[in-house]
């Protein structure tokens, strides 16, 4: 039995695939944050033994995939597909991590929404009958992101209060057609939303309207309400972006009491000098493949709406005066089918 | 009835989706090539009326989508998903083209294999039951590619004999669960292959082993043989890369008489100063959404294996001494189901 579309943006899975393995790999700073105990691997050395930050990102992905496969008790050869991407130009973090894995590969670009995007497509492909096990993966690295998007690290540029800190980390989740759960039951795919924010140091405000749009669509398509979820978690809106989403729902008459954001959870907002919080593909990926999936396994949460958020800009688009197109993909995770 | 995996890399579609609309938009030089009559729109102005080459790429994608929708006789609101990507850093050609379309969007990065990758995922999602109509799209632009990957145009650097010319063009294909065909019957997803080529001016040689690997896997998985296809068409290997693939099959005892390459078809190899031929996401996209689909409609070819090829490098990976990971995705198109 195949899945079906519910409304415009949501797919309801007929045979919800199960998480069977997951892993989070992070850098030093993330290991000093409040979620340290939830990560599988914390490196004291952000180069991960490599000669460049870009290669470090590939090393993180390879490690995350390897740990997730171990937890699932399978070899790479047991994966039908691997879906992954990252923030680097031409997604080289991913390309070089996947090289040598001998797994059919679909490369994705969803900016910081990539964990939710890869999980979405993995779930849809499995529910469609195309294989038994699929890995979804992404990463980001503070140092590779800074030099690519902003300025050389040595420059020491000051960051405005709305800025966020790119997470050094990689998360990997393996889905299977069968398993003990949690299960991916619904996939709400985002449309691009752009409300005209041009400040690349204020990504939270740029992405908040996309998160609002997708979460609203999820409720409209499924007939569910916010209280049907124990937790609604956006990817990397940070403090400001999260507050904007809560505010917009409040104007609609809905109090999103269970709304939080991976970017506000991963660091100590006071004390780790991260301003509005964490960001990057790795942010939502390691919070999902750590705090969230651990918490579901421990029955802390029964049902979560995981909403990856991405800003589809580049330094070139910003230099050319463009605003920031954003997107949010939501995935409903449920302990039961 | 859902689809199924055949062997390691191939998915066989249970209800092969049909092409119901397609469009090709190209620049001036492509309009002087041998395929001019097959394109829907040839612009005499490679800026497409925009202020930057990057914005021109978005304009091409918007136009290709619009023409394809017109041919399919549907509005954007009738699309369940749009799958697209391009070569630009952070895929901004696509992000800005999709902004405002109000279609659920999955961003892809498959380098020049993106037309085959997007077509693959579109077909898999439809066969899985997730909607009725999905658009697959990509683009490339000679000028944006040159300045991003190589040198400013004004520099006038000399190109080696193995170099290829990035196609200025965008192709869009709309698949539907029902229609008159041609149908996507099989999707063979590539694994990353890297045989150590480090010369970014010799992408044909870098990508040829990936094409060989995927085409071989397609035959092994499906039990088909080369002569089961009227045409086996790689994306942008150019003359040298195409010859390498033919040579490798010859060593296996197989003469691929029906092998050709979009990069060798799109320009006059003698006379248009393109060295080994065309390249870029747009290359295979506009040949598919022009010559190939026109030819199938006219019954010139009944069955085609369309093999998008991509080099997953970046200028940074090349500067860091890395070789070029490559991938090839193959899609079987058939006039009958």
């Amino acid at each position: 039995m195949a899945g079906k579309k519910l409304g415009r943006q949501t797919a309801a899975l007929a045979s919800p695939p199960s998480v069977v393995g997951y892993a989070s790999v992070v850098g030093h700073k993330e290991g000093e944050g409040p979620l340290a105990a939830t990560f599988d691997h914390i490196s004291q050395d952000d180069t991960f033994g490599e000669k460049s930050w870009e290669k470090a990102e590939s090393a993180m992905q390879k490690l995350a995939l390897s740990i997730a496969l171990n937890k699932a008790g399978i070899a790479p050869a047991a994966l039908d597909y691997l879906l992954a991407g990252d923030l680097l130009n031409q997604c080289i973090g991913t390309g070089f991590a996947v090289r040598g894995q001998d797994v059919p590969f679909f490369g994705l670009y969803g900016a910081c929404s990539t964990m939710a995007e890869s999980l979405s497509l993995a779930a849809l492909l499995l529910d469609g009958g195309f294989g038994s096990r699929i890995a979804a993966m992404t990463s980001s690295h503070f140092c590779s992101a800074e030099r690519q998007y902003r300025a050389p690290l040595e420059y020491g540029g000051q960051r405005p209060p709305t800025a966020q800190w790119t997470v050094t980390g990689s998360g990997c989740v393996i889905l299977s057609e069968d398993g003990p759960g949690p299960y991916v039951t619904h996939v709400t795919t985002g449309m691009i939303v752009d409300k005209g924010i041009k400040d690349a140091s204020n990504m939270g405000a740029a992405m908040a309207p996309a998160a609002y749009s997708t979460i609203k669509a999820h409720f409209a398509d499924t007939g569910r309400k916010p209280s049907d979820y124990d937790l609604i978690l956006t990817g990397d809106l940070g403090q400001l972006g999260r507050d904007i989403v809560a505010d917009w729902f409040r104007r609609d008459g809905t109090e999103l009491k269970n709304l939080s954001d991976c970017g506000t959870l991963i660091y100590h907002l006071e004390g780790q000098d991260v301003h509005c919080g964490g960001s990057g593909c790795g942010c939502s990926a390691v919070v999902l493949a750590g705090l969230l999936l651990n918490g579901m396994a421990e029955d802390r949460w029964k049902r979560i709406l995981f909403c990856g958020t991405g800003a589809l800009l580049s330094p070139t688009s910003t230099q050319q005066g463009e605003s920031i197109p954003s997107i949010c993909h939501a995935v409903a995770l449920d302990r039961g089918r």
Side-chain angles (χ1 to χ4, degrees), chain A residues 83-86 91 94 105-110 114 117-119 121 137:
Chain A
L83 305 171
D86 59 77
C91 298
T94 301
F105 168 65
F106 286 118
L108 308 180
Y109 185 76
T114 305
E117 185 190 8
S118 57
L119 203 60
L121 283 165
M137 181 167 71

Side-chain angles (χ1 to χ4, degrees), chain A residues 185-209:
Chain A
T185 60
H186 296 81
V187 166
T188 302
T189 304
M191 310 210 234
I192 293 180
V193 177
D194 184 338
K195 295 294 183 191
I197 299 281
K198 293 188 175 188
D199 180 358
S201 295
N202 192 358
M203 305 272 229
M207 296 189 292

Side-chain angles (χ1 to χ4, degrees), chain A residues 49-251:
Chain A
E50 298 291 334
K51 285 186 179 171
S52 75
W53 306 121
E54 290 76 15
K55 293 185 185 196
E57 208 167 320
S58 294
M60 284 195 296
Q61 282 199 27
K62 282 196 264 191
L63 190 54
L65 176 61
S66 165
I67 299 173
L69 286 167
N70 283 346
K71 286 197 197 173
I74 58 170
L79 291 176
D80 288 283
Y81 297 102
L82 172 57
L83 305 171
D86 59 77
L87 290 172
L88 295 177
N89 296 344
Q90 286 68 58
C91 298
I92 52 168
T94 301
F96 287 90
V98 175
R99 180 176 69 174
Q101 307 284 353
D102 288 342
V103 178
F105 168 65
F106 286 118
L108 308 180
Y109 185 76
C112 304
S113 74
T114 305
M115 192 67 239
E117 185 190 8
S118 57
L119 203 60
S120 296
L121 283 165
L124 296 173
L125 291 180
L126 284 173
D127 197 42
F130 301 108
S132 303
R133 295 179 204 88
I134 303 184
M137 181 167 71
T138 188
S139 67
S140 56
H141 195 298
F142 173 77
C143 301
S144 61
E146 282 298 305
R147 77 170 167 193
Q148 180 181 281
Y149 285 106
R150 297 173 190 100
L153 288 175
E154 297 80 356
Y155 178 70
Q158 251 199 325
R159 295 145 36 81
T162 53
Q164 294 172 241
W165 190 278
T166 305
V167 166
T168 298
S170 172
C172 177
V173 175
I174 296 171
L175 293 183
S176 169
E177 55 181 347
D178 292 310
Y183 303 95
V184 174
T185 60
H186 296 81
V187 166
T188 302
T189 304
M191 310 210 234
I192 293 180
V193 177
D194 184 338
K195 295 294 183 191
I197 299 281
K198 293 188 175 188
D199 180 358
S201 295
N202 192 358
M203 305 272 229
M207 296 189 292
Y212 169 79
S213 157
T214 297
I215 297 171
K216 221 173 147 62
H218 179 80
F219 294 137
D221 289 347
T222 60
R224 291 184 171 182
K225 49 191 188 306
S227 60
D228 289 330
Y229 288 93
D230 299 312
L231 188 60
I232 298 169
L233 199 74
T234 50
D236 61 343
L237 297 182
Q239 192 62 56
L240 179 64
R242 185 229 160 262
D243 290 350
I244 293 172
V245 173
D247 193 44
W248 283 25
F249 272 99
R250 201 170 293 127
R251 289 188 200 181

Side-chain angles (χ1 to χ4, degrees), chain A residues 26 34 261 285 309:
Chain A
V26 299
D261 180 75
T309 40

